[in-house]
Amino acid sequence: MPGDTMITYSKERQAELVARYDAVKARIDAEESQAPVLLLAVGKLKPASDIQILYDHGVRHFGENYVQELEQKSKLLPGDICWHFIGGLQTNKCKDLAKIPNLHVVETIDSLKKIKKLQECRAKYQPDQPAIKCNIQINTSQEDQKAGLTSEEDIFALVEFCLSEHASHVQLAGLMTIGSWDTSHEDTGENKDFAMLVEWKKKIDARFGTSLSLSMGMSADYKHAIKQGSTEVRIGTDIFGSRPARSEAHIL
Ligand SMILES: *Cc1c(COP(=O)(O)O)cnc(C)c1O
């Protein structure tokens, strides 16, 4: 059962993490947001004990990038955590993801093939769990190394699938972008990647009658993101500190 393993942690780490989390939360609350903003705690490559600390502090939404790490953590940690998968999505991993009962959102949908796989596997392995919420990832900076869609045709096709009767176990929730590193580190007024994601939301909402959420903003750029209409910021470093190399990360 999830959460059966006793996960322990030190008082020092607890004090540190709670202080860092509360500081980020306070900075978010101080921004002039247009809508409520979810603070997603991104614990990738950090031990399960770090997540348990914030869980005990009342946090329920956590983000992970690697399917195997998410599977392991979801088995160790409490079953009422709302997991967000925010890593690069591969079709052959959709099955493992769909099996995780408390998988709440997949934020990195970038093809019809992958969302159909999630739908099919959720129906097969977890038919009684809630539908997986899905965000369409848009490559707003159009960088080759970034995942995400760029063409209206592809984006509309995904939306249409989600709104069809075929999508009984996946549910369109919002849009997500990472944006270019350079843009997020320039201290100019408006971030053009975030502005573009807002434009996509307007276009899709107007055409399909949806009301999409906007997952945009990370440690380096979340303040701009909130000003521009973000409804979810994904924060790793500012909460948990810098991450170890993947080869050195440990869950327990
Ligand atoms: C790692 C990651 C984050 C968190 O990044 P930080 O800069 O550590 O806050 C957010 N979103 C995605 C997609 C990530 O991979």
Side-chain angles (χ1 to χ4, degrees):
M1 287 295 287
D4 272 1
T5 314
M6 188 61 185
I7 294 176
T8 57
Y9 47 78
S10 73
K11 284 255 178 298
E12 287 74 25
R13 184 62 175 160
Q14 181 183 29
E16 183 189 358
L17 270 188
V18 165
R20 291 181 74 125
Y21 178 87
D22 285 349
V24 173
K25 188 89 181 75
R27 287 201 291 273
I28 290 172
D29 292 344
E31 288 298 327
E32 262 177 60
S33 64
Q34 301 168 25
V37 179
L38 173 71
L39 168 52
L40 181 71
V42 177
K44 62 175 180 237
L45 305 178
K46 291 290 177 176
S49 55
D50 274 3
I51 292 168
Q52 184 73 49
I53 287 171
L54 292 183
Y55 178 89
D56 292 343
H57 187 53
V59 181
R60 291 296 177 268
H61 288 262
F62 292 94
E64 290 290 336
N65 281 60
Y66 306 106
V67 175
Q68 205 193 351
E69 183 177 347
L70 173 53
E71 282 182 290
Q72 290 175 320
K73 283 178 172 169
S74 70
K75 286 180 183 148
L76 289 165
L77 288 155
D80 61 342
I81 285 180
C82 300
W83 293 107
H84 294 228
F85 182 74
I86 62 171
L89 186 60
Q90 292 170 282
T91 310
N92 64 359
K93 294 288 168 65
C94 287
K95 178 170 147 189
D96 295 333
L97 274 179
K99 285 182 174 177
I100 299 172
N102 52 333
L103 177 70
H104 189 62
V105 195
V106 174
E107 302 211 10
T108 45
I109 303 288
D110 61 358
S111 79
L112 260 179
K113 195 170 162 201
K114 294 175 196 176
I115 200 165
K116 285 180 176 169
K117 193 83 194 165
L118 277 177
Q119 156 69 26
E120 176 196 321
C121 294
R122 192 68 160 182
K124 184 162 175 193
Y125 297 105
Q126 294 288 2
D128 300 328
Q129 292 297 330
I132 302 168
K133 292 181 193 287
C134 291
N135 289 348
I136 299 174
Q137 182 174 358
I138 296 186
N139 185 356
T140 51
S141 52
Q142 312 214 350
E143 296 163 281
D144 289 341
Q145 75 273 21
K146 288 236 160 68
L149 296 174
T150 52
S151 94
E152 181 173 290
E153 193 186 345
D154 294 343
I155 293 167
F156 283 4
L158 262 179
V159 175
E160 274 161 13
F161 173 78
C162 290
L163 299 178
S164 76
E165 69 207 24
H166 304 294
S168 49
H169 291 80
V170 290
Q171 182 196 342
L172 180 64
L175 304 178
M176 180 271 208
T177 189
I178 297 176
S180 94
W181 193 92
D182 289 343
T183 303
S184 71
H185 288 75
E186 282 162 13
D187 209 17
T188 53
E190 205 187 53
N191 178 310
K192 53 186 188 298
D193 288 311
F194 300 157
M196 190 180 288
L197 201 69
V198 170
E199 286 311 308
W200 276 112
K201 170 185 157 56
K202 286 185 187 153
K203 206 172 196 174
I204 298 166
D205 283 352
R207 184 178 171 118
F208 296 97
T210 48
S211 179
L212 298 177
S213 60
L214 290 172
S215 175
M216 56 187 201
M218 320 195 338
S219 290
D221 54 20
Y222 69 89
K223 289 178 194 162
H224 277 303
I226 291 170
K227 283 198 188 77
Q228 291 179 239
S230 175
T231 57
E232 177 187 324
V233 293
R234 310 178 306 269
I235 309 294
T237 313
D238 276 9
I239 296 173
F240 295 99
S242 58
R243 289 179 283 272
R246 207 173 160 188
S247 57
E248 268 149 42
H250 59 95
I251 289 174
L252 280 175

